[in-house]
Amino acid sequence: MRKEESKFITGFISEAGTKSRNNDYFGFVQMENYGIWVIADGFDEEKGADVASRTAVESSIEYFMSYPRFNPEVIEEIMTYVNTKIKKKQEETENYSLMHTSLLIVISNYNSILYGNVGNTRLYHIRGGYIIYQSSDDSISQLLAEENVLSLGDMKYHRQRNDLLQAIGDYSKIKPNIIKKPVTLHEGDVLCLTTIGFWENIDENLMENELSRYEDRKEWMKSLEKKIMNTARNEVENYTFAAVTIEKVAPPEPVEKDRRKLYMKIVAAVFIVTVILLSVCIFNARRKSSIMKRISEYEQASEEEIVKKNFNNSIDELKLVIGEYEKMKPRSRGIIGFLLNSENSRKEMDKKIEDVRKRIETTEKIKKAFENISQGNDNFNKGKYDEASVKYQEAKFNLEQNTYMRDELNIEEIMITLRGRMESISKLKEAQVQEINGNTALISGNYTLAEESYKAASNIYMTNGKADYVPIIEGKIREIQAKQKSVHDGARLSENRGDMLSQTDSAKAKESYYEAREIYETLGDNMKVQEIDNKIEEINARMMSSLQEANNFVQEGLSQMTAKNPSGAISSLTRAKMIYQSMNDRNNADNVDRFISQAQESMKMNEEKENTMAIQQEKMMEYIREKELEIEEERRKREKISETMSRISNLEIAADELYALKRYPESIQKYNEIKETYEGLKSSGDMINQDLKIESLSRKIAGIEGLLYEEQGDSEMGKKNWKEAEEKYRKAIESMEISFIEKEYMQRVEKKLKKAMKKADKKWWQFWK
């Protein structure tokens, strides 16, 4: 007997997985000359799924034991018989009217095997530790894989892996996948019969790897079962895995020919061909109508998903359309295929599939465009205008090229919005520059320039979709106005003090006016600066006029004394003395007082006294000339100071612009030049109270040096010179600590210093981590 000449060992596992009921069924029988192995997978969603799978297995074994043979025809007979049994049970029990099952049948003569399947039960043939063959499924995912739309490895994840083209229990005639030529077995071969719960959770490579680890087939099966339960899927289908190990094969035996069937087929051939042609036409017409209806539904759903911006769902619907077109491809070949014009129909379906793929490609581009718009909006809202501009440009290019569903997606309105956003970006970048200029002017104390810059930035933000920035800018403007008011009040106080002293003490009045002028100039109030200059010039003019008048009275008094008219001299000299005293010119007043005394004595003195008077007159004239020279020197000094202050103002504007452009070395050079000029004025005594201005400039220079050191530290970091970067960042912090610069700048440098210190402290081998 052939069974005794061979050794086939069968083991299997069958569990419900995470389901409440196990709808899988497996059975086998080894007779004297033949063996049969059958596995079935009832559809979980249908009532009676367990009944369908058990009936299929038991009916298969029952038929084979009644008519044992080894040829493809017997497998087809078993499939037909089982399908009839299932349909009968559907008719007998209303609850079972929809039950279906997948079925795999393997028969052997202990030397070779033949097999056939319907649905998605699967057979693996392992030889030498590797899977040399696996059966095909009757599923949409299998069709997609055959058309290279889907890889074999991805079939187990595809949503249509359970959408079957046929199953046991269908009312239409089933067409089992039956191999025509026997597969010769070798000693050591393993045949694996599986349901979807097994093969969708176990990778083929994993089967091979685990097989190489375990010589004991039971241990191998246990390890695979553990892998199934450890899968990442939330739900595990019913799984059944039967392994038939061939340890010994019987001698070869020719395949039996079922001549009775052959004769019956020959007799019925003409009739069948006629009926087939008619049936196929009717079936294809109905099937095509049903498929076209589903295609229309999928395409409509795809367009609805696009309108909702659910592009992934739209693409999935289009892939379902491809699956339906695949179903419409005729399988007929040969004479029947020629009569039904199958080749042209397949080409037509291929063309439609290609059109759908182009729509998928277009949808992908639209999806990318909307993703770019979303990313661009995020960058725009965060103030990253250059990055936003790039994303908007990419989206604009894709949408301009697109002609698909433009009206439904409001593409034209989106394009207008994109162009508006791109125009706003250039203006908003200008607003950022204005805001930086305002910050720089605020640090330097130039409140007028700072306020103008902030107002310009606020206007741009308001008109370009950034109204939320405006309250921040307005807060800065209010802060400036408060500081301006405080400083302006101080300047006004000095000016008022000058006004009060201008008629009684010209020197102190001028000192107060100069204090007010310096503050007004710092505030950028040129009108008030000019007003103060006018008051100073008025005092200077009045002092010159009074001095000239006093000098004239002195001249007249001296002339009277020369003319031997002491009383007239005393009158003129007394008037001169009163003018000198009003000017707070004590020296001249004392000198004139002496002249008066001399005039009084001259009335009693002789000619010798008159000679002495002449000498005194000459000294007085010399003194008057010296005073006139002093007044002229004072005028020239003030003109020089005015020119110097004008040059300082121009230097400060240039320094502020260089700072705003981040040209820090040049900006530092300009500020140092301004500082040296102020120090020169202070040391020469030309101006007073410059210490605050010099200190302000020193702190501003320190702040800019801090930013320069930060920039140099960034450069060293880019070159991976960690120690040099650390030194630069430390210098930056030291400079910023003595400056007016905002805390956030110092905090930023401190973070960079920590990073540089961390990098500098790493050992050479740590950089390999």
Side-chain angles (χ1 to χ4, degrees):
M1 298 296 179
R2 296 184 61 78
K3 180 179 178 182
E4 296 175 356
E5 296 175 337
S6 63
K7 187 175 183 181
F8 284 38
I9 299 176
T10 302
F12 73 95
I13 54 175
S14 183
E15 298 293 340
T18 59
K19 304 295 183 180
S20 59
R21 181 188 294 274
N22 187 357
N23 295 321
D24 291 354
Y25 207 83
F26 170 74
F28 72 99
V29 170
Q30 290 183 251
M31 298 181 287
E32 295 300 329
N33 291 312
Y34 305 108
I36 181 171
W37 291 261
V38 186
I39 190 169
D41 181 1
F43 291 3
D44 294 338
E45 294 79 6
E46 300 169 352
K47 292 184 178 180
D50 57 331
V51 176
S53 61
R54 185 177 67 252
T55 301
V57 173
E58 292 175 349
S59 299
S60 298
I61 295 174
E62 171 193 338
Y63 188 92
F64 187 72
M65 292 180 69
S66 300
Y67 307 101
R69 302 189 305 281
F70 184 68
N71 55 38
E73 288 78 11
V74 72
I75 296 178
E76 184 173 4
E77 291 174 11
I78 294 172
M79 291 285 189
T80 303
Y81 177 73
V82 171
N83 194 47
T84 303
K85 294 278 286 187
I86 296 296
K87 287 196 289 186
K88 185 176 180 180
K89 283 189 176 292
Q90 290 174 346
E91 294 170 356
E92 291 173 351
T93 306
E94 184 177 354
N95 286 341
Y96 298 163
S97 61
L98 297 177
M99 68 180 186
H100 289 76
T101 183
S102 296
L103 182 64
L104 169 65
I105 299 172
V106 180
I107 62 174
S108 176
N109 61 0
Y110 301 113
N111 176 271
S112 305
I113 63 168
L114 289 167
Y115 66 86
N117 74 310
V118 172
N120 57 8
T121 48
R122 188 176 289 183
L123 172 68
Y124 293 98
H125 187 176
I126 300 176
R127 178 174 293 167
Y130 296 97
I131 296 173
I132 62 172
Y133 183 78
Q134 72 179 51
S135 60
S136 297
D137 304 332
D138 288 318
S139 65
I140 300 299
S141 59
Q142 179 72 48
L143 288 177
L144 294 175
E146 292 173 358
E147 291 295 329
N148 296 322
V149 176
L150 186 70
S151 68
L152 289 173
D154 290 337
M155 285 176 59
K156 61 184 65 182
Y157 306 108
H158 196 270
R159 59 186 289 189
Q160 290 178 291
R161 63 187 181 278
N162 270 326
D163 291 352
L164 302 183
L165 301 175
Q166 61 175 350
I168 299 296
D170 283 351
Y171 279 94
S172 59
K173 184 178 180 181
I174 59 172
K175 297 180 180 179
N177 304 303
I178 303 172
I179 63 170
K180 302 303 180 183
K181 294 183 179 180
V183 177
T184 302
L185 299 174
H186 294 181
E187 292 182 359
D189 285 0
V190 180
L191 303 175
C192 301
L193 290 76
T194 68
T195 61
I196 189 172
F198 176 86
W199 62 259
E200 74 174 352
N201 292 300
I202 296 295
D203 186 75
E204 289 77 8
N205 292 329
L206 180 61
M207 290 175 63
E208 296 171 346
N209 293 336
E210 292 298 305
L211 181 60
S212 65
R213 294 177 56 195
Y214 298 99
E215 291 185 5
D216 188 336
R217 295 295 180 259
K218 292 183 180 180
E219 293 299 322
W220 172 53
M221 294 175 71
K222 288 180 181 179
S223 70
L224 292 178
E225 185 173 15
K226 290 179 181 179
K227 300 292 183 184
I228 294 172
M229 297 312 297
N230 291 332
T231 182
R233 296 178 188 269
N234 294 328
E235 294 185 358
V236 178
E237 299 280 351
N238 303 159
Y239 60 89
T240 299
F241 174 53
V244 183
T245 304
I246 291 73
E247 295 187 359
K248 183 179 179 183
V249 296
E253 181 184 60
V255 178
E256 299 178 3
K257 299 295 182 178
D258 192 343
R259 301 193 179 279
R260 181 176 56 86
K261 283 284 185 181
L262 179 61
Y263 294 147
M264 289 177 64
K265 288 180 181 179
I266 293 174
V267 172
V270 177
F271 175 76
I272 291 174
V273 168
T274 304
V275 172
I276 286 176
L277 288 175
L278 181 59
S279 300
V280 168
C281 290
I282 295 172
F283 172 77
N284 285 341
R286 291 179 178 175
R287 184 167 174 267
K288 183 175 181 180
S289 176
S290 175
I291 291 174
M292 290 304 295
K293 181 179 179 182
R294 288 197 297 273
I295 287 173
S296 178
E297 292 173 352
Y298 291 149
E299 289 179 337
Q300 182 179 354
S302 172
E303 292 178 356
E304 290 174 355
E305 293 295 340
I306 285 183
V307 172
K308 295 176 184 177
K309 308 298 190 302
N310 297 329
F311 300 108
N312 289 331
N313 292 346
S314 176
I315 291 170
D316 288 342
E317 295 293 340
L318 291 176
K319 288 181 179 178
L320 292 176
V321 172
I322 291 176
E324 296 300 327
Y325 278 131
E326 290 289 353
K327 292 180 183 178
M328 290 180 65
K329 285 185 179 181
R331 292 192 176 186
S332 303
R333 304 283 180 176
I335 297 298
I336 295 177
F338 175 77
L339 294 173
L340 295 176
N341 199 21
S342 299
E343 187 63 30
N344 288 335
S345 296
R346 280 190 287 271
K347 289 180 180 179
E348 181 183 355
M349 292 304 106
D350 288 337
K351 184 177 181 304
K352 290 181 181 293
I353 289 171
E354 183 62 28
D355 290 340
V356 176
R357 286 175 179 159
K358 289 180 180 178
R359 284 162 60 189
I360 291 175
E361 183 179 347
T362 299
T363 305
E364 290 282 3
K365 291 181 179 179
I366 296 173
K367 171 188 172 184
K368 181 63 177 176
F370 277 89
E371 287 176 352
N372 285 334
I373 290 172
S374 177
Q375 294 170 5
N377 290 339
D378 288 342
N379 289 327
F380 182 86
N381 294 332
K382 293 175 182 177
K384 299 178 180 179
Y385 300 120
D386 290 331
E387 293 87 338
S389 181
V390 171
K391 293 296 181 183
Y392 287 147
Q393 192 64 42
E394 291 177 1
K396 180 173 173 288
F397 175 78
N398 280 336
L399 293 178
E400 284 176 342
Q401 304 299 316
N402 175 56
T403 58
Y404 180 53
M405 296 191 71
R406 290 184 70 86
D407 294 337
E408 292 82 350
L409 290 171
N410 297 321
I411 297 298
E412 297 304 328
E413 294 181 11
I414 293 172
M415 294 293 290
I416 292 172
T417 303
L418 282 178
R419 284 191 286 268
R421 275 293 174 93
M422 293 171 72
E423 290 175 2
S424 296
I425 283 174
S426 62
K427 296 178 181 177
L428 289 171
K429 290 171 71 175
E430 179 185 348
Q432 285 183 329
V433 172
Q434 290 287 1
E435 189 174 354
I436 291 171
N437 291 340
N439 294 337
T440 304
L442 179 61
I443 292 172
S444 65
N446 193 342
Y447 300 126
T448 301
L449 177 59
E451 185 175 4
E452 291 174 356
S453 298
Y454 285 142
K455 285 182 177 178
S458 177
N459 291 335
I460 296 173
Y461 285 140
M462 179 63 74
T463 56
N464 288 275
K466 288 293 182 179
D468 53 328
Y469 285 21
V470 173
I472 300 173
I473 300 298
E474 290 178 346
K476 292 183 178 180
I477 293 174
R478 287 193 295 272
E479 179 184 351
I480 289 172
Q481 291 172 344
K483 290 183 178 179
Q484 280 181 316
K485 185 178 184 304
S486 176
V487 177
H488 197 279
D489 289 345
R492 185 63 183 168
L493 183 62
S494 296
E495 183 183 358
N496 291 338
R497 186 166 60 249
D499 292 340
M500 292 173 61
L501 295 171
S502 64
Q503 299 299 325
T504 59
D505 194 338
S506 299
K508 288 185 178 179
K510 286 173 64 177
E511 182 177 338
S512 296
Y513 282 142
Y514 277 123
E515 289 179 359
R517 185 187 188 283
E518 182 180 357
I519 296 172
Y520 285 136
E521 189 174 34
T522 301
L523 292 173
D525 193 343
N526 295 326
M527 184 177 294
K528 293 297 290 182
V529 169
Q530 184 61 45
E531 185 179 332
I532 296 296
D533 285 342
N534 292 338
K535 290 183 178 182
I536 292 172
E537 288 297 327
E538 183 181 346
I539 290 176
N540 288 336
R542 191 166 62 247
M543 289 178 67
M544 287 293 293
S545 176
S546 297
L547 181 61
Q548 187 63 44
E549 184 180 4
N551 289 340
N552 290 337
F553 281 129
V554 171
Q555 274 298 90
E556 184 179 350
L558 293 176
S559 298
Q560 292 291 340
M561 290 177 68
T562 303
K564 306 299 184 180
N565 185 8
S567 60
I570 290 171
S571 176
S572 297
L573 291 172
T574 301
R575 294 175 69 180
K577 177 182 176 182
M578 293 175 63
I579 294 173
Y580 284 138
Q581 286 177 338
S582 68
M583 295 174 63
N584 203 24
D585 191 345
R586 178 57 54 190
N587 289 332
N588 279 336
D590 291 344
N591 288 333
V592 172
D593 198 36
R594 285 194 297 271
F595 289 152
I596 293 172
S597 296
Q598 290 174 4
Q600 290 172 347
E601 291 177 0
S602 70
M603 301 170 85
K604 301 176 183 180
M605 293 178 65
N606 54 20
E607 185 177 355
E608 183 179 4
K609 189 68 174 179
E610 290 178 357
N611 293 333
T612 303
M613 190 68 178
I615 295 171
Q616 291 292 336
Q617 181 181 2
E618 182 62 26
K619 289 182 179 180
M620 187 63 188
M621 291 300 294
E622 183 179 356
Y623 178 79
I624 290 170
R625 287 193 295 271
E626 289 176 356
K627 280 296 178 181
E628 289 176 346
L629 289 173
E630 288 177 3
I631 291 171
E632 180 64 18
E633 182 65 25
E634 177 69 12
R635 185 183 64 79
R636 291 176 181 174
K637 182 186 294 185
R638 291 304 169 191
E639 289 179 351
K640 181 179 178 182
I641 290 172
S642 179
E643 292 173 356
T644 302
M645 294 305 294
S646 177
R647 185 169 66 85
I648 286 173
S649 179
N650 293 332
L651 283 172
E652 192 164 7
I653 291 172
D656 289 345
E657 290 176 348
L658 290 170
Y659 173 74
L661 295 171
K662 296 187 178 180
R663 293 164 60 179
Y664 299 134
E666 299 172 66
S667 176
I668 292 171
Q669 181 183 355
K670 294 290 183 183
Y671 284 127
N672 278 323
E673 188 175 349
I674 296 169
K675 179 180 174 183
E676 291 171 1
T677 304
Y678 274 124
E679 288 175 342
L681 290 173
K682 177 184 175 183
S683 63
S684 65
D686 291 337
M687 294 190 72
I688 58 175
N689 293 335
Q690 295 302 315
D691 292 337
L692 292 176
K693 188 66 177 181
I694 292 170
E695 181 182 358
S696 175
L697 285 168
S698 297
R699 293 195 177 191
K700 182 184 292 186
I701 291 168
I704 300 173
E705 286 176 343
L707 294 173
L708 179 59
Y709 282 130
E710 180 190 7
E711 188 174 80
Q712 293 172 351
D714 293 341
S715 175
E716 294 297 340
M717 283 288 284
K719 299 175 183 177
K720 299 185 179 179
N721 297 330
W722 318 120
K723 287 290 185 182
E724 290 81 356
E726 179 183 348
E727 182 180 352
K728 295 296 183 182
Y729 289 140
R730 289 187 187 279
K731 289 182 178 180
I733 293 173
E734 291 172 1
S735 298
M736 290 179 178
E737 286 176 344
I738 61 173
S739 70
F740 291 117
I741 202 160
E742 296 175 0
K743 289 184 178 180
E744 61 181 6
Y745 288 89
M746 191 178 301
Q747 291 171 353
R748 180 182 67 200
V749 177
E750 287 174 349
K751 289 180 181 180
K752 293 180 179 180
L753 174 59
K754 290 179 181 179
K755 183 177 180 181
M757 291 172 65
K758 184 177 179 181
K759 293 284 187 179
D761 290 339
K762 278 192 174 182
K763 306 302 183 212
W764 65 269
W765 60 83
Q766 291 177 314
F767 284 93
W768 293 98
K769 293 184 179 180

